Amino acid sequence: MASGETSLLLTDRVPWESFPGYAEAVLRIVGGSVVERVDSPVERIWTVRIEDQLFWLAHDQVGVSLDSKSRESSLLIPSIRETLLAFRSV
């Protein structure tokens, strides 16, 4: 990311209108919660909390990504990735 923090591309296969359901499913898997939702015709960015750290969960032209908001949240990205990969292989 331009901020220097870590971003994890989750998928490029979720259409715009399916983002809310996909985002909620991801949060259930990683034990996260929604802090704030920005859902408009031009942007979908949710602020979410995972393990007491804040992230942006966003849908843009590239796909759905989990973007760190701080150095501390960047440090969690590898374990979040492993959790999601383990869930996918079940």
Side-chain angles (χ1 to χ4, degrees), residues 5 15 18 27 36 38 40 44 47 52 60 75 85 89-90:
E5 302 306 337
S18 298
L27 291 174
E36 179 182 23
V38 176
S40 75
R44 284 219 149 125
T47 301
D52 283 330
D60 61 21
L75 294 173
L85 288 172
S89 66
V90 171

Side-chain angles (χ1 to χ4, degrees), residues 1 3 9-11 13 15 20 23 29 49 62 70 73 83 86 88:
M1 292 176 44
S3 66
L9 179 62
L10 300 175
T11 185
R13 296 181 180 179
I29 294 166
R49 184 181 311 278
V62 175
S70 68
S73 59
T83 299
R88 184 175 77 174

Side-chain angles (χ1 to χ4, degrees), residues 16-58:
W16 183 263
E17 60 277 357
S18 298
F19 173 76
Y22 178 81
E24 293 287 353
V26 166
L27 291 174
R28 279 192 300 275
I29 294 166
V30 300
S33 61
V34 178
V35 174
E36 179 182 23
R37 296 172 202 247
V38 176
D39 284 312
S40 75
V42 295
E43 66 181 345
R44 284 219 149 125
I45 302 172
W46 293 6
T47 301
V48 300
R49 184 181 311 278
I50 302 169
E51 294 186 30
D52 283 330
Q53 297 301 320
L54 295 177
F55 298 82
W56 290 292
L57 186 57

